Amino acid sequence: MTLADALDLADSVTDVARAAGGANTLLLEQGPRGRHVRADNTDVPGARAALSEAGVVDVPVVRVLGAGATAASVAHAVAGLGAGLVELVVRDVGRAEETVAAVHAAGLEARVLDASTSPTGPVDLLVSTVPESVAGERADAWAADAAAVFDVVYDPWPTRLSVAARAAGRPVVTGLDLLAHQAVLQLRLMTGASVDVDVVRGAALEVLASA
């Protein structure tokens, strides 16, 4: 089941989930007419929180590798961090239409670029939503062009892209950071309880270390 499929299972959809075109959280609520399912998306605020935590708070131009559901959520996350333009670097330009629509829904300009042309030029943030095997092929070049890097992959870690970014002195946000922040938000939605993000991140790191 995809994030987009989750919307069809819900009786109501939050504004952020609808705009992003997908939900990663389904909440079962009891209403006057029985059980009610509400769809929400914690990837959007989770990504924004992970970036802000790393000091990445002003990103007018964002380059995103890939154009799937995560790319759409990222577009809405960076809309709250001063973004104006999102470049979508894809292997199949014809399959980026839905993500372009999500970028436009976030109030941002979208530019679709063919990955085979190796797009270059400075950007404020590079976001990789593609496998390590894909992003790693041009890790040094991608990192050199970006003021900050957000690699949503967290296993295997470190990725070649994250290593290249750190070697270049760039701030690096990881997929584990995103996972932890969105999980904290999910817990709050489901139980009303709060937990420190470092507790969640630490537990995840322990699991990865023992795998």
Side-chain angles (χ1 to χ4, degrees):
M1 184 177 72
T2 67
L3 297 186
D5 292 334
L7 298 180
D8 295 330
L9 299 176
D11 300 303
S12 66
V13 179
T14 62
D15 290 343
V16 65
R18 189 179 306 282
N24 69 337
T25 306
L26 293 176
L27 301 166
L28 299 180
E29 303 170 335
Q30 194 65 33
R33 298 183 180 180
R35 191 177 68 174
H36 180 91
V37 180
R38 176 162 57 95
D40 205 342
N41 185 315
T42 61
D43 280 339
V44 173
R48 188 179 300 143
L51 288 164
S52 298
E53 181 184 43
V56 182
V57 293
D58 187 21
V59 290
V61 180
V62 180
R63 178 173 294 147
V64 181
L65 308 182
T70 301
S73 293
V74 165
H76 284 266
V78 298
L81 298 174
L85 169 65
V86 173
E87 296 181 348
L88 298 171
V89 182
V90 299
R91 286 178 286 183
D92 185 351
V93 174
R95 298 181 64 181
E97 291 182 2
E98 290 186 4
T99 306
V100 168
V103 173
H104 288 161
L108 308 178
E109 179 186 351
R111 181 181 299 159
V112 181
L113 304 174
D114 190 333
S116 65
T117 65
S118 301
T120 58
V123 294
D124 301 290
L125 175 66
L126 171 73
V127 183
S128 175
T129 69
V130 298
E132 148 74 356
S133 59
V134 176
E137 293 175 355
R138 305 173 201 161
D140 291 335
W142 291 130
D145 279 345
V149 170
F150 180 10
D151 192 341
V152 303
V153 172
Y154 57 86
D155 187 21
W157 192 264
T159 61
R160 284 173 287 174
L161 179 58
S162 68
V163 170
R166 288 200 167 108
R170 310 300 196 246
V172 175
V173 180
T174 75
L176 192 59
D177 296 325
L178 167 60
L179 190 66
H181 277 282
Q182 69 85 26
V184 167
L185 294 169
Q186 283 183 321
L187 180 65
R188 189 176 303 150
L189 286 171
M190 293 176 180
T191 69
S194 296
V195 62
D196 191 284
V197 69
D198 285 330
V199 172
V200 178
R201 185 162 38 208
L205 285 170
E206 288 182 8
V207 171
L208 287 174
S210 63

